[in-house]
Amino acid sequence: MSVELDLTPLSPLGQEATPAGPALGGQIAALALRAGSLIAFAVIVAVFAITAPYFLSVGNIGNVVGQSAIPGVLAVGLTIVLIAGGSNVVTGGIDLSLAANMGLSAAVYATLAQAGYGDGTAVAAALLTGGIIGAVNAFAVVVAGIVPLLATLAVMNVVAGIELVLTQNTVIPATTPLLSALSSSGPLGIPVLGLVLVVFTLIVGAIVQFTPTGLRLYAVGEFPEAGRAAGLPVRRLTAGAFVASGLCGGFAGILSVSNLSGSTTGSGEMLLPVVVTALLGAVFSRRLVPTIGGTLLSTLFVGILVNGFQLLNISSTLVNGVQGILILLVVSATTLLRKKEA
Amino acid sequence: MAVPASGTARPSSTILQAAYGGILRYPLLVALAAVIVLFSLASPVFLTAANLQSILVNNVTLLVIVTIAMTFAVAVGGIDLSVGTAIDFASFAFVSLVLAGQPVGVAALAGLASGALVGAFNAVLISLIGISPFLATLGTLFIGRSLQQILTNGGNPVYLPPAGVPEAFRFLGRGTLAGIPVPLVIAGALILVATLVFARTRFGRVAIAIGIQPDVVRYSGVASRAHVAVTFILVGLIAAVAGLILTATVTVYIPSSGNAFLLNAIGATFIGTTLSPLGRPNIPGTVLGVLLLGIVANGLLLTGLNFYWQQVGTGTLIFAVLALSFARRRHAKA
């Protein structure tokens, strides 16, 4: 019972049929594989730039980055879990509670802000909410031993329920100095939210990609047995990844309150798009593994698609479809090329 | 497994140990029994025939069909996030053709074919191109959502006017056979057939084998890609049955409404899988998983809990059942 998330085909043909192969062809295929997704990205940017002149303006690019902030932070959180959990969706890393987490953290923030508490208290409470949800996930996965898909599914239901209880399914408006600062525009008219996303990704990326802890996360995810044999604290690292992901949910909650001037219902709608974004992120990395940088690229990729469609006046009903087709195109191309490379 | 270790154990503790062993082997049955006892104590209405029938008709019938479809996908080591898409497409084709004056039989066949088409699309992605089932069906889900928006001019429901509902259509949704609601009969038949497929046919055994040891199956000369492809088409087809019944019951097609079943179907399938003695996808486990979800939903409703608290309650209960069972299993291994 395994749902392989890595892009290995179910039954790779020609695995034994290909000896060394034509070296040049293999190299070209490998290059195309690594560059393919980036080329696709570039082509789409070019098409939008030509057909919608406003697209490449600083203001518009800033908009795209700003609108990508919330899904981006969530996708980064999910990426950490994907890295530490390994490539198997069912037994490995997945956090389905992220979107609900964002909703509850936002509701907590908005409720406290409305009750007259200061930004400091509200921020702490929102992050604490996210952290607790992450800790519950960590407990369920590491201590109770429930597979992440099931554990986070159950937690998602509980969290979404608590949000409903807290908000009675209504919108809670909130305005505080911090929220106004977050939703304003910075230098060159770039939204502060966009800057937040960039700084956040840089920090998390630095930790995950360039520190021993990050390397251990990858080791634990890919080869838990080897990690255990090498003396890594496997359980603590896995638990830490879920708590980190929960904190990202809390942080995204704060951002969403600022973006919408309050907490709103229906945060669960974000779940599948965020999962798509985080999974697609692997395609933007050289070794086809989840990376923070790849996830940032994939977040911007999806953001650019939505934005470009709006500029071109393409009906928004098509966005989901093109998103789906692109995911399948990019993933199929990568998979087929990888088969050749093998 | 908990085997009495010492011969000096007193009879009462042997019984306790036997009970403990029973809980380890059949945690799902124990959880179900516990939940039933809990709710029958909490509400006098719970154990009445009328309420039990209401659980089956309202909470179980459709979900169990969708979950059987999901069980097939999980059995071959995959997952199908697009079961809702198959439900919607079947529903759309069914309603549209009935509305256009086609015979109900023809419309129903077209509905089933639409669901199978969604499955075939997944099959191409998974078996031919080699995309992992999770990603492939996620893509299908997104494309399906968009297609439905286009087909319905931005998401308008398709209603059947009350006067224009054919008799056969009404029968499928609200009729009875020997006093049993038709949807329930269909669900029961599907449970029976699916159980037999897994227990008695080569198709079912190979499917399970692919899920456990895909490489071994391939090396032993089974055309496993074709097998996976057929399985995913079957998943779409079974989900389409749920789509037909759903539409016949509410006489309306609402775009993307099938997704409501997705997370519960995944939950029930994996509850059945993880809590079964062998830890494999299996139809009895799936059915018990659906029953557990349905009973908890209904029971919480009866206790008169605030509607919003019910979701917290459902989630917490399922979480507790999972945590207990996993903890006990781990304890048993140690």
Coordinates of all heavy atoms in Angstrom, one line a residue, chain B residues 111-189:
Chain B
G111 N -24.3 8.6 -18.4 CA -23.7 9.0 -17.1 C -22.6 8.1 -16.7 O -21.5 8.5 -16.3
L112 N -22.9 6.8 -16.7 CA -21.8 5.8 -16.4 C -20.6 5.9 -17.3 O -19.5 5.9 -16.8 CB -22.4 4.4 -16.4 CG -23.5 4.0 -15.4 CD1 -24.0 2.6 -15.6 CD2 -22.9 4.2 -14.0
A113 N -20.9 6.1 -18.6 CA -19.8 6.2 -19.5 C -19.0 7.5 -19.2 O -17.7 7.5 -19.3 CB -20.3 6.3 -20.9
S114 N -19.6 8.6 -18.8 CA -18.9 9.8 -18.5 C -17.9 9.6 -17.3 O -16.8 10.0 -17.3 CB -19.8 10.9 -18.1 OG -20.8 11.1 -19.1
G115 N -18.5 8.9 -16.3 CA -17.6 8.6 -15.1 C -16.4 7.7 -15.5 O -15.3 7.9 -15.1
A116 N -16.7 6.7 -16.4 CA -15.6 5.8 -16.9 C -14.6 6.6 -17.7 O -13.4 6.3 -17.6 CB -16.2 4.7 -17.7
L117 N -15.1 7.6 -18.4 CA -14.2 8.4 -19.2 C -13.2 9.2 -18.3 O -12.0 9.3 -18.6 CB -15.0 9.4 -20.0 CG -14.4 10.0 -21.2 CD1 -14.2 8.9 -22.3 CD2 -15.3 11.1 -21.8
V118 N -13.7 9.7 -17.2 CA -12.8 10.4 -16.2 C -11.8 9.4 -15.7 O -10.6 9.7 -15.7 CB -13.6 10.9 -15.0 CG1 -12.7 11.5 -14.0 CG2 -14.6 12.0 -15.5
G119 N -12.2 8.1 -15.4 CA -11.3 7.1 -15.0 C -10.3 6.8 -16.1 O -9.1 6.6 -15.8
A120 N -10.8 6.7 -17.4 CA -9.9 6.4 -18.5 C -8.8 7.5 -18.6 O -7.6 7.2 -18.9 CB -10.7 6.3 -19.8
F121 N -9.2 8.7 -18.4 CA -8.2 9.8 -18.5 C -7.1 9.6 -17.4 O -5.9 9.7 -17.7 CB -9.0 11.2 -18.3 CG -8.1 12.4 -18.4 CD1 -7.6 12.7 -19.7 CD2 -7.8 13.2 -17.3 CE1 -6.8 13.9 -19.8 CE2 -7.0 14.3 -17.5 CZ -6.5 14.7 -18.7
N122 N -7.6 9.3 -16.2 CA -6.6 9.0 -15.2 C -5.7 7.8 -15.6 O -4.5 7.8 -15.3 CB -7.3 8.7 -13.9 CG -7.9 9.9 -13.2 OD1 -7.4 11.0 -13.3 ND2 -9.0 9.7 -12.5
A123 N -6.3 6.8 -16.2 CA -5.6 5.6 -16.5 C -4.5 5.9 -17.5 O -3.4 5.4 -17.4 CB -6.6 4.6 -17.1
V124 N -4.8 6.8 -18.5 CA -3.8 7.2 -19.5 C -2.6 7.9 -18.8 O -1.5 7.6 -19.0 CB -4.4 8.1 -20.6 CG1 -3.3 8.8 -21.4 CG2 -5.4 7.4 -21.4
L125 N -3.0 8.8 -17.9 CA -1.9 9.6 -17.2 C -1.1 8.7 -16.3 O 0.2 8.8 -16.3 CB -2.6 10.6 -16.3 CG -3.3 11.8 -17.0 CD1 -4.0 12.6 -16.0 CD2 -2.4 12.6 -17.8
I126 N -1.7 7.7 -15.7 CA -1.0 6.9 -14.7 C -0.2 5.8 -15.4 O 0.9 5.6 -15.2 CB -2.0 6.4 -13.6 CG1 -2.5 7.5 -12.8 CG2 -1.3 5.4 -12.7 CD1 -3.7 7.2 -12.0
S127 N -1.0 5.0 -16.2 CA -0.4 3.8 -16.8 C 0.5 4.1 -18.0 O 1.5 3.4 -18.2 CB -1.4 2.8 -17.1 OG -1.9 2.2 -15.9
L128 N 0.0 5.0 -18.9 CA 0.7 5.2 -20.1 C 1.9 6.2 -19.9 O 3.0 5.9 -20.3 CB -0.3 5.8 -21.2 CG 0.0 5.5 -22.6 CD1 0.0 4.0 -22.8 CD2 -1.0 6.1 -23.5
I129 N 1.6 7.3 -19.3 CA 2.6 8.3 -19.1 C 3.5 8.0 -17.9 O 4.7 8.3 -17.9 CB 2.0 9.8 -19.1 CG1 1.2 10.0 -20.3 CG2 3.1 10.8 -18.9 CD1 0.5 11.4 -20.4
G130 N 2.8 7.5 -16.9 CA 3.6 7.1 -15.7 C 3.6 8.2 -14.6 O 4.5 8.2 -13.8
I131 N 2.6 9.1 -14.6 CA 2.5 10.0 -13.5 C 2.0 9.3 -12.2 O 1.2 8.4 -12.3 CB 1.6 11.2 -13.9 CG1 2.0 11.8 -15.2 CG2 1.5 12.2 -12.8 CD1 1.1 12.9 -15.7
S132 N 2.5 9.8 -11.1 CA 2.0 9.1 -9.9 C 0.5 9.4 -9.7 O 0.0 10.5 -10.1 CB 2.8 9.6 -8.7 OG 2.3 10.9 -8.3
P133 N -0.3 8.4 -9.2 CA -1.7 8.6 -9.1 C -2.1 9.9 -8.4 O -3.1 10.5 -8.8 CB -2.2 7.4 -8.3 CG -1.1 6.4 -8.6 CD 0.2 7.1 -8.8
F134 N -1.4 10.2 -7.3 CA -1.8 11.4 -6.5 C -1.8 12.7 -7.4 O -2.7 13.4 -7.5 CB -0.8 11.6 -5.3 CG -1.2 12.5 -4.3 CD1 -2.0 12.1 -3.2 CD2 -0.9 13.9 -4.4 CE1 -2.4 13.0 -2.2 CE2 -1.3 14.8 -3.4 CZ -2.0 14.4 -2.3
L135 N -0.7 12.8 -8.1 CA -0.5 14.0 -9.0 C -1.5 14.0 -10.2 O -2.1 15.0 -10.5 CB 0.9 14.1 -9.5 CG 1.9 14.7 -8.6 CD1 3.3 14.7 -9.2 CD2 1.5 16.1 -8.2
A136 N -1.6 12.8 -10.8 CA -2.5 12.7 -12.0 C -3.9 13.0 -11.7 O -4.5 13.8 -12.3 CB -2.4 11.2 -12.5
T137 N -4.4 12.4 -10.6 CA -5.8 12.6 -10.3 C -6.1 14.0 -9.7 O -7.1 14.6 -9.8 CB -6.3 11.6 -9.3 OG1 -5.5 11.6 -8.1 CG2 -6.3 10.2 -9.9
L138 N -5.0 14.6 -9.1 CA -5.1 16.0 -8.7 C -5.3 16.9 -9.9 O -6.1 17.8 -9.9 CB -3.9 16.4 -7.9 CG -3.9 17.7 -7.0 CD1 -5.0 17.6 -6.0 CD2 -2.5 17.9 -6.3
G139 N -4.5 16.6 -11.0 CA -4.7 17.4 -12.2 C -6.0 17.2 -12.8 O -6.7 18.2 -13.2
T140 N -6.5 16.0 -12.8 CA -7.9 15.7 -13.3 C -8.9 16.5 -12.5 O -9.9 17.0 -13.1 CB -8.2 14.2 -13.2 OG1 -7.1 13.5 -13.8 CG2 -9.5 13.9 -13.9
L141 N -8.8 16.5 -11.2 CA -9.7 17.3 -10.4 C -9.8 18.7 -10.8 O -10.9 19.3 -10.9 CB -9.2 17.1 -8.9 CG -9.9 18.1 -7.9 CD1 -11.4 17.7 -7.7 CD2 -9.2 17.9 -6.5
F142 N -8.6 19.3 -11.0 CA -8.6 20.8 -11.4 C -9.2 21.0 -12.8 O -10.0 21.9 -13.0 CB -7.2 21.3 -11.4 CG -6.8 21.8 -10.0 CD1 -6.7 20.9 -9.0 CD2 -6.6 23.1 -9.7 CE1 -6.3 21.3 -7.7 CE2 -6.3 23.6 -8.5 CZ -6.1 22.7 -7.5
I143 N -8.8 20.1 -13.7 CA -9.4 20.2 -15.1 C -10.9 20.0 -15.1 O -11.6 20.7 -15.7 CB -8.7 19.2 -16.0 CG1 -7.2 19.6 -16.2 CG2 -9.3 19.2 -17.4 CD1 -6.4 18.5 -16.9
G144 N -11.3 19.0 -14.3 CA -12.7 18.7 -14.2 C -13.5 19.9 -13.7 O -14.6 20.2 -14.2
R145 N -13.0 20.5 -12.7 CA -13.6 21.7 -12.0 C -13.9 22.8 -13.1 O -14.9 23.4 -13.2 CB -12.8 22.2 -10.9 CG -13.5 23.0 -9.9 CD -12.6 23.5 -8.8 NE -12.4 22.5 -7.7 CZ -11.6 22.6 -6.7 NH1 -10.9 23.7 -6.6 NH2 -11.6 21.7 -5.8
S146 N -12.8 23.0 -13.9 CA -12.9 24.1 -14.9 C -13.9 23.7 -16.0 O -14.7 24.5 -16.4 CB -11.5 24.3 -15.5 OG -11.4 25.5 -16.1
L147 N -13.8 22.5 -16.4 CA -14.7 22.0 -17.5 C -16.2 22.2 -17.1 O -17.0 22.6 -17.9 CB -14.5 20.5 -17.8 CG -13.5 20.2 -18.9 CD1 -13.3 18.7 -19.1 CD2 -13.9 20.9 -20.2
Q148 N -16.5 21.9 -15.8 CA -17.8 22.0 -15.4 C -18.3 23.5 -15.3 O -19.4 23.8 -15.6 CB -18.0 21.4 -14.0 CG -17.8 19.9 -14.0 CD -17.9 19.4 -12.6 OE1 -18.9 19.6 -11.9 NE2 -16.8 18.7 -12.1
Q149 N -17.4 24.4 -15.0 CA -17.7 25.8 -15.0 C -18.0 26.2 -16.4 O -19.0 27.0 -16.7 CB -16.5 26.6 -14.5 CG -16.1 26.3 -13.1 CD -16.7 27.3 -12.1 OE1 -16.7 28.5 -12.4 NE2 -17.2 26.9 -11.0
I150 N -17.2 25.7 -17.4 CA -17.5 26.1 -18.8 C -18.8 25.5 -19.3 O -19.6 26.2 -19.9 CB -16.3 25.6 -19.7 CG1 -15.0 26.3 -19.3 CG2 -16.6 25.8 -21.1 CD1 -13.8 25.6 -19.8
L151 N -19.1 24.2 -18.9 CA -20.3 23.6 -19.4 C -21.5 24.2 -18.8 O -22.6 24.1 -19.4 CB -20.3 22.1 -19.0 CG -19.3 21.2 -19.8 CD1 -19.2 19.8 -19.2 CD2 -19.8 21.1 -21.3
T152 N -21.4 24.8 -17.6 CA -22.6 25.4 -17.0 C -22.6 26.9 -17.0 O -23.3 27.5 -16.1 CB -22.7 24.9 -15.5 OG1 -21.5 25.3 -14.9 CG2 -22.8 23.4 -15.5
N153 N -21.9 27.5 -17.9 CA -21.8 29.0 -17.9 C -21.5 29.6 -16.6 O -22.1 30.5 -16.1 CB -23.2 29.6 -18.4 CG -23.4 29.2 -19.8 OD1 -22.5 29.2 -20.7 ND2 -24.7 28.9 -20.2
G154 N -20.4 29.1 -16.0 CA -19.9 29.7 -14.8 C -20.5 29.1 -13.5 O -20.4 29.7 -12.5
G155 N -21.0 27.9 -13.6 CA -21.4 27.2 -12.4 C -22.9 27.3 -12.1 O -23.2 27.2 -10.9
N156 N -23.7 27.4 -13.1 CA -25.2 27.4 -12.8 C -25.7 25.9 -12.6 O -25.3 25.1 -13.5 CB -26.0 28.0 -13.9 CG -25.6 29.5 -14.0 OD1 -25.6 30.2 -13.0 ND2 -25.3 29.9 -15.2
P157 N -26.5 25.6 -11.6 CA -27.0 24.3 -11.5 C -27.9 23.9 -12.6 O -28.5 24.8 -13.3 CB -27.8 24.4 -10.2 CG -27.3 25.6 -9.5 CD -26.8 26.5 -10.5
V158 N -28.1 22.6 -12.9 CA -29.1 22.2 -13.9 C -30.2 21.5 -13.2 O -30.0 20.5 -12.6 CB -28.4 21.2 -14.9 CG1 -29.4 20.8 -16.0 CG2 -27.2 21.8 -15.5
Y159 N -31.4 22.1 -13.2 CA -32.5 21.6 -12.5 C -33.4 20.8 -13.4 O -33.5 21.1 -14.6 CB -33.4 22.7 -11.9 CG -32.8 23.5 -10.8 CD1 -32.1 24.7 -11.1 CD2 -32.8 23.1 -9.5 CE1 -31.5 25.5 -10.1 CE2 -32.2 23.8 -8.5 CZ -31.6 25.0 -8.8 OH -31.0 25.7 -7.8
L160 N -34.0 19.7 -12.9 CA -35.1 19.1 -13.6 C -36.4 19.7 -13.0 O -36.6 19.7 -11.8 CB -35.1 17.6 -13.3 CG -34.3 16.6 -14.2 CD1 -34.6 15.2 -13.8 CD2 -34.5 16.9 -15.6
P161 N -37.3 20.2 -13.9 CA -38.5 20.7 -13.4 C -39.3 19.6 -12.7 O -39.4 18.5 -13.3 CB -39.2 21.3 -14.6 CG -38.5 20.6 -15.8 CD -37.2 20.3 -15.3
P162 N -40.0 19.9 -11.6 CA -40.7 18.8 -10.9 C -41.7 18.0 -11.8 O -41.8 16.8 -11.6 CB -41.5 19.6 -9.8 CG -40.7 20.9 -9.6 CD -40.1 21.2 -10.9
A163 N -42.3 18.7 -12.7 CA -43.3 18.1 -13.6 C -42.6 17.1 -14.6 O -43.2 16.2 -15.0 CB -44.1 19.1 -14.3
G164 N -41.3 17.4 -14.9 CA -40.7 16.7 -15.9 C -39.8 15.5 -15.5 O -38.9 15.1 -16.2
V165 N -40.0 15.1 -14.2 CA -39.2 14.0 -13.7 C -39.8 12.6 -14.1 O -40.9 12.3 -13.6 CB -39.0 14.1 -12.2 CG1 -38.1 12.9 -11.7 CG2 -38.5 15.4 -11.8
P166 N -39.1 11.9 -15.0 CA -39.7 10.6 -15.4 C -39.8 9.6 -14.2 O -39.1 9.7 -13.2 CB -38.7 10.1 -16.4 CG -37.8 11.2 -16.7 CD -37.8 12.1 -15.6
E167 N -40.7 8.6 -14.3 CA -40.9 7.7 -13.2 C -39.7 6.9 -12.9 O -39.4 6.7 -11.7 CB -42.1 6.7 -13.6 CG -42.7 6.0 -12.5 CD -43.0 6.9 -11.3 OE1 -43.6 8.0 -11.5 OE2 -42.7 6.6 -10.2
A168 N -39.0 6.4 -13.9 CA -37.8 5.6 -13.6 C -36.7 6.4 -12.9 O -36.0 5.8 -12.0 CB -37.2 5.1 -15.0
F169 N -36.6 7.6 -13.2 CA -35.7 8.5 -12.6 C -36.0 8.6 -11.1 O -35.1 8.5 -10.2 CB -35.8 9.9 -13.2 CG -34.7 10.9 -12.9 CD1 -33.5 11.0 -13.6 CD2 -34.8 11.7 -11.8 CE1 -32.5 11.9 -13.3 CE2 -33.9 12.6 -11.4 CZ -32.7 12.7 -12.2
R170 N -37.3 8.9 -10.8 CA -37.7 9.0 -9.4 C -37.5 7.7 -8.7 O -37.1 7.7 -7.5 CB -39.2 9.4 -9.4 CG -39.7 10.0 -8.2 CD -41.2 10.3 -8.2 NE -41.6 11.3 -9.2 CZ -41.5 12.6 -9.0 NH1 -41.1 13.0 -7.8 NH2 -41.9 13.4 -9.9
F171 N -37.8 6.6 -9.4 CA -37.6 5.3 -8.8 C -36.2 5.1 -8.3 O -35.9 4.6 -7.2 CB -38.0 4.2 -9.8 CG -37.9 2.8 -9.2 CD1 -38.8 2.3 -8.3 CD2 -36.8 2.0 -9.7 CE1 -38.6 1.0 -7.8 CE2 -36.7 0.7 -9.2 CZ -37.6 0.2 -8.3
L172 N -35.2 5.5 -9.1 CA -33.8 5.3 -8.8 C -33.4 6.0 -7.5 O -32.7 5.5 -6.7 CB -32.9 5.7 -10.0 CG -31.4 5.7 -9.8 CD1 -31.0 4.2 -9.6 CD2 -30.7 6.3 -11.0
G173 N -34.0 7.2 -7.4 CA -33.6 8.0 -6.2 C -34.4 7.7 -5.0 O -34.0 7.7 -3.9
R174 N -35.8 7.5 -5.2 CA -36.7 7.5 -4.0 C -37.5 6.2 -3.9 O -38.4 6.1 -3.1 CB -37.5 8.7 -4.0 CG -36.7 10.0 -4.0 CD -37.6 11.2 -3.7 NE -36.8 12.4 -3.7 CZ -36.3 13.0 -2.6 NH1 -36.6 12.6 -1.5 NH2 -35.6 14.1 -2.8
G175 N -37.4 5.3 -4.9 CA -38.2 4.1 -4.9 C -37.8 3.1 -3.9 O -36.8 3.3 -3.2
T176 N -38.6 2.1 -3.8 CA -38.2 1.0 -2.8 C -38.4 -0.3 -3.5 O -39.3 -0.5 -4.4 CB -39.1 1.0 -1.6 OG1 -40.5 0.9 -2.0 CG2 -38.9 2.2 -0.7
L177 N -37.6 -1.3 -3.1 CA -37.7 -2.7 -3.6 C -37.9 -3.5 -2.4 O -37.1 -3.5 -1.5 CB -36.4 -3.2 -4.3 CG -36.3 -2.9 -5.8 CD1 -34.9 -3.3 -6.3 CD2 -37.4 -3.6 -6.6
A178 N -39.1 -4.2 -2.3 CA -39.4 -5.0 -1.1 C -39.3 -4.2 0.2 O -38.7 -4.6 1.2 CB -38.6 -6.3 -1.0
G179 N -39.6 -2.9 0.1 CA -39.6 -2.1 1.3 C -38.2 -1.4 1.6 O -38.1 -0.6 2.5
I180 N -37.2 -1.8 0.8 CA -35.9 -1.2 1.0 C -35.6 -0.2 -0.1 O -35.9 -0.4 -1.3 CB -34.8 -2.3 0.9 CG1 -35.1 -3.5 1.8 CG2 -33.4 -1.8 1.2 CD1 -34.3 -4.7 1.6
P181 N -35.1 1.0 0.3 CA -34.9 2.1 -0.6 C -33.9 1.6 -1.7 O -32.9 0.9 -1.4 CB -34.2 3.2 0.2 CG -34.7 2.9 1.6 CD -34.9 1.4 1.7
V182 N -34.2 1.9 -3.0 CA -33.4 1.5 -4.1 C -32.0 1.8 -4.0 O -31.1 1.0 -4.2 CB -34.0 2.0 -5.4 CG1 -33.1 1.7 -6.6 CG2 -35.4 1.4 -5.7
P183 N -31.6 3.1 -3.6 CA -30.2 3.4 -3.4 C -29.5 2.4 -2.5 O -28.3 2.0 -2.7 CB -30.2 4.8 -2.9 CG -31.4 5.4 -3.3 CD -32.4 4.3 -3.3
L184 N -30.2 2.0 -1.4 CA -29.6 1.1 -0.5 C -29.4 -0.3 -1.1 O -28.3 -0.9 -0.8 CB -30.5 1.0 0.8 CG -29.9 0.7 2.1 CD1 -28.7 1.6 2.4 CD2 -30.9 0.7 3.2
V185 N -30.3 -0.7 -1.9 CA -30.2 -2.0 -2.6 C -29.0 -2.0 -3.5 O -28.2 -2.9 -3.5 CB -31.5 -2.3 -3.4 CG1 -31.2 -3.6 -4.2 CG2 -32.7 -2.4 -2.5
I186 N -28.8 -0.8 -4.3 CA -27.7 -0.7 -5.2 C -26.4 -0.8 -4.4 O -25.4 -1.5 -4.7 CB -27.8 0.5 -6.0 CG1 -29.0 0.5 -6.9 CG2 -26.5 0.7 -6.9 CD1 -29.3 1.7 -7.7
A187 N -26.3 0.0 -3.3 CA -25.1 0.0 -2.5 C -24.8 -1.3 -1.9 O -23.6 -1.8 -2.0 CB -25.3 1.0 -1.3
G188 N -25.8 -2.1 -1.4 CA -25.6 -3.4 -0.9 C -25.1 -4.3 -2.0 O -24.1 -5.1 -1.7
A189 N -25.7 -4.2 -3.2 CA -25.2 -5.1 -4.3 C -23.7 -4.8 -4.6 O -22.9 -5.7 -4.8 CB -26.1 -4.9 -5.5

